[in-house]
């Protein structure tokens, strides 16, 4: 039953990881998190994983001589683990081409904007500075581009006149915690049909 494995890559506080922990543990997602990998030894996400008795691994980016060496180590770990799905959850690095090729259509990411608007870093700040009235979040498959892969789910929310980067980020985050588990569930239930850029959700 519960044999589908998910590896989660993190860099920071891990609230999206927490949402995935809770929804795998309560059975909403038909799978389990087999490993949490962090490129940052200080990430609070590691503590969240440990509290949930999930194995963790730190690949401290700064301890590698160059990006290729880091990617080699990460690829080796992922090949050994060979999960059905790799979830990026606040993972603040671009995944290298070799990993994407090896795990094509098995890596997904959550991004705090309505893509294709505001890819990359500080999406919420970009949205405020641009002056949009609606923002939100996107779960997408990861391809070689920066936040360019086929979109699985999106949720929108208003941008209020009084918003700061913090308040907007917090509002968007509430939606992230809903649509990320939803997307992971659909993926593991094999309900996604990817045709070109479009991801269709199979009907019952
Ligand atoms: C989330 O808002 C996530 O969407 C964003 O970082 C935050 C991580 O929070 N990711 C990106 O911006 C990726 N480009 P969390 O560590 O509490 O899940």
């Amino acid at each position: 039953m519960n044999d589908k494995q998910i590896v989660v890559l993190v860099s920071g506080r891990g609230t999206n990881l927490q949402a995935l922990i809770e929804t795998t543990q309560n059975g909403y997602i038909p799978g389990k998190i087999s490993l949490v990998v962090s490129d940052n030894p200080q990430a609070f996400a590691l503590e969240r994983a440990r509290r949930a008795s999930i194995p963790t691994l730190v690949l401290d980016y700064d301890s590698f001589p160059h990006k290729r060496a880091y990617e080699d180590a990460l690829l080796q770990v992922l090949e050994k683990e060979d999960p059905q799905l790799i979830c990026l959850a606040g993972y603040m690095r671009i995944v290298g081409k070799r990993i994407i090729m090896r795990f094509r259509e098995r890596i997904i990411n959550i991004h705090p904007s309505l893509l294709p608007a505001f890819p990359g870093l500080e999406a919420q700040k970009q949205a405020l500075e641009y002056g949009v009235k609606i923002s939100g979040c996107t779960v997408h498959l990861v391809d070689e581009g920066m936040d360019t892969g086929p979109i699985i789910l999106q949720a929108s929310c208003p941008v209020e006149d009084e918003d700061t980067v913090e308040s907007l980020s917090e509002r968007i985050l509430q939606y992230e915690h809903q649509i990320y588990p939803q997307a992971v569930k659909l993926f593991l239930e094999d309900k996604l049909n990817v045709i070109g850029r479009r991801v269709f959700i199979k009907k019952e």
Side-chain angles (χ1 to χ4, degrees):
M1 259 312 267
N2 216 15
D3 56 352
K4 294 196 172 151
Q5 314 261 310
I6 306 162
V7 169
V8 185
L9 305 190
V10 298
S11 300
R13 73 193 155 173
T15 65
N16 277 291
L17 170 67
Q18 189 68 46
L20 296 177
I21 290 173
E22 285 164 18
T23 45
T24 46
Q25 288 187 340
N26 70 16
Y28 174 76
I29 291 174
K32 71 176 227 181
I33 302 172
S34 60
L35 182 66
V36 171
V37 183
S38 177
D39 63 344
N40 165 19
Q42 310 303 333
F44 186 67
L46 290 165
E47 180 58 28
R48 294 179 191 272
R50 288 184 199 117
R51 286 180 193 169
S53 305
I54 295 168
T56 59
L57 178 72
V58 176
L59 292 178
D60 183 356
Y61 188 85
D62 295 332
S63 73
F64 289 88
H66 41 68
K67 182 172 165 86
R68 188 171 173 100
Y70 168 79
E71 287 274 330
D72 282 344
L74 182 57
L75 180 58
Q76 215 172 50
V77 168
L78 294 173
E79 283 190 325
K80 180 161 172 283
E81 205 69 19
D82 196 26
Q84 262 82 23
L85 177 63
I86 298 166
C87 290
L88 312 185
Y91 179 67
M92 293 306 188
R93 294 196 185 279
I94 294 177
V95 178
K97 284 198 174 65
R98 284 176 306 145
I99 294 179
I100 289 169
M101 281 166 64
R102 173 68 183 74
F103 293 93
R104 187 161 297 283
E105 291 190 359
R106 282 161 66 193
I107 310 176
I108 66 178
N109 180 43
I110 179 106
H111 183 78
S113 75
L114 291 177
L115 291 170
F118 316 127
L121 294 177
E122 301 191 288
Q124 305 93 332
K125 182 161 176 266
Q126 293 183 56
L128 273 182
E129 285 175 354
Y130 197 92
V132 293
K133 302 293 186 190
I134 294 174
S135 191
C137 48
T138 303
V139 182
H140 64 94
L141 290 162
V142 174
D143 67 8
E144 282 83 352
M146 161 91 81
D147 300 321
T148 52
I151 291 170
I152 301 171
L153 291 177
Q154 291 186 303
S156 63
C157 66
V159 179
E160 309 287 358
D161 289 349
E162 308 72 33
D163 266 333
T164 59
V165 172
E166 289 70 32
S167 65
L168 178 60
S169 302
E170 183 54 39
R171 187 174 310 118
I172 293 172
L173 205 55
Q174 304 313 311
Y175 291 90
E176 295 186 37
H177 298 163
Q178 292 176 31
I179 67 168
Y180 211 5
Q182 283 169 13
V184 172
K185 179 181 169 73
L186 289 168
F187 185 101
L188 290 183
E189 288 176 341
D190 197 25
K191 294 224 174 99
L192 301 179
N193 190 12
V194 185
I195 302 179
R197 282 211 51 84
R198 298 189 69 186
V199 180
F200 298 92
I201 297 173
K202 296 177 192 166
K203 304 277 186 292
E204 290 305 324

